[in-house]
Amino acid sequence: MGKYDQQIANIVALRGTVTVTDLARMLDVTDQTVRRIIKPLVDQGHIEKLHGAIRAVGNPLTAPFAARMEQNRTAKAKIADHIANMIPDGASVAIDTGSTAAFVAQALQKRQDLTVVTNSAYIASTLALIHGNRVFMAGTQLRDYDGASFDRTAFEVIERMQVDYAILTAAQVDPMQGIRVAEQCEYDISVAMSAIARQTIYAIDSSKFLAATALVGLVLPPAGGTPLIVTEAAPQETGAAAKQGFTLQLAQ
């Protein structure tokens, strides 16, 4: 496998289609170098070459996770790039298992010397292969549809850590009560990661800001400090953030 093959595989899997120019920027190489790198991958059928871009031929992710990755892909990529620009080299980060978190992990490949704790096998493998990173996989038993762990050892690993940032995702945003997640295990992981972080950042695309009548799931307790919501467009229910003490930041 070539030097950049795994990074290219991750980028294409997450974005579906990526331009040569964007890929060159993410890999910190020239457009000409990108064209040289991708030629054997195209010849082997791993990716498809378009005019000025490349596209995934197949998705190696499990079906349910792949379906979530396809939803609002452009918005999630924009949020991920914005958050990655907030995280400096050498930072420590806790990352949960949401699909937007997977985009954040891919965007964080441009950072160096990160310390990462996550209960997602996909996110762990995405960042563990970056030279200088220290990645801690929280948990042992992985769910078959998204490669996430929520067993007792996951919480033991997380609770031993202290990090600069917790990057969390959500199912919905309640305009009256705040951020919701779908399952109890996701609630518990979010609370555990937020508790060890100096700054909590929620990566939530604007489609998750819904009217109260459409809401389901569990409401997360307030995070310490002033938690930040990063979204790609001003949602209609912007009052949700202000009412719950969140700072709302639009991805640029």
Side-chain angles (χ1 to χ4, degrees), residues 37-83:
I37 292 169
I38 65 174
K39 187 179 186 307
L41 299 177
V42 173
D43 293 342
Q44 295 163 20
H46 296 313
I47 58 176
E48 180 182 5
K49 187 160 188 325
L50 307 175
H51 180 67
I54 58 174
R55 180 170 61 192
V57 173
N59 198 319
L61 303 176
T62 57
F65 193 62
R68 286 160 51 204
M69 296 294 289
E70 290 297 329
Q71 296 171 358
N72 303 312
R73 179 186 286 271
T74 301
K76 291 174 180 178
K78 189 173 183 180
I79 291 167
D81 284 339
H82 184 90
I83 291 175

Side-chain angles (χ1 to χ4, degrees), residues 125-173:
S125 62
T126 297
L127 293 172
L129 298 178
I130 306 300
H131 180 69
N133 283 357
R134 298 170 65 234
V135 177
F136 297 85
M137 178 65 207
T140 54
Q141 183 176 359
L142 306 178
R143 298 195 298 198
D144 60 359
Y145 62 87
D146 64 354
S149 179
F150 294 93
D151 59 25
R152 180 173 57 85
T153 58
F155 292 92
E156 290 175 350
V157 171
I158 292 168
E159 289 165 0
R160 289 199 299 266
M161 307 285 290
Q162 289 292 320
V163 297
D164 299 316
Y165 304 93
I167 300 173
L168 307 176
T169 55
Q172 297 171 331
V173 178

